[in-house]
Amino acid sequence: MIILHLHWQPPSQVAETGLFCFWAEDSAAPSPSLKIDRRRGEALPHPFALGQAQLAAHLKSLTGVNVRLQRVGIALRLPTTCRP
């Protein structure tokens, strides 16, 4: 199963345009052994993320439109556990 995500990044200045940031996860990907690179103290790249070509193909299959994707990096803090 492929799960598609979207994030709207609003412009930081009036003269700029915003970005739609798409990414997708593949549930068939193998589970990672670590979530944090302890040497660097930061999160590793998303272990279940589809590659850029796979994402473009998936978006085309959904919309029928050839999309041009631009690789950008964003850091999101997503909830991973619920604490009472």
Side-chain angles (χ1 to χ4, degrees):
M1 175 176 23
I2 294 176
I3 302 165
L4 181 64
H5 300 278
L6 169 70
H7 170 72
W8 167 246
Q9 182 66 43
S12 58
Q13 298 191 14
V14 175
E16 295 177 350
T17 58
L19 295 171
F20 281 112
C21 299
F22 290 93
W23 73 98
E25 300 174 70
D26 186 355
S27 64
S31 295
S33 58
L34 292 173
K35 292 183 181 178
I36 296 176
D37 184 341
R38 302 219 186 274
R39 292 168 289 170
R40 292 187 303 168
E42 59 188 45
L44 296 171
H46 193 298
F48 303 115
L50 255 58
Q52 190 170 345
Q54 292 172 303
L55 178 57
H58 187 65
L59 289 172
K60 183 178 181 180
S61 74
L62 291 172
T63 64
V65 176
N66 284 323
V67 293
R68 280 188 354 204
L69 298 177
Q70 178 182 353
R71 188 178 187 99
V72 296
I74 59 172
L76 299 173
R77 298 185 98 177
L78 303 173
T80 57
T81 60
C82 293
R83 295 186 183 172

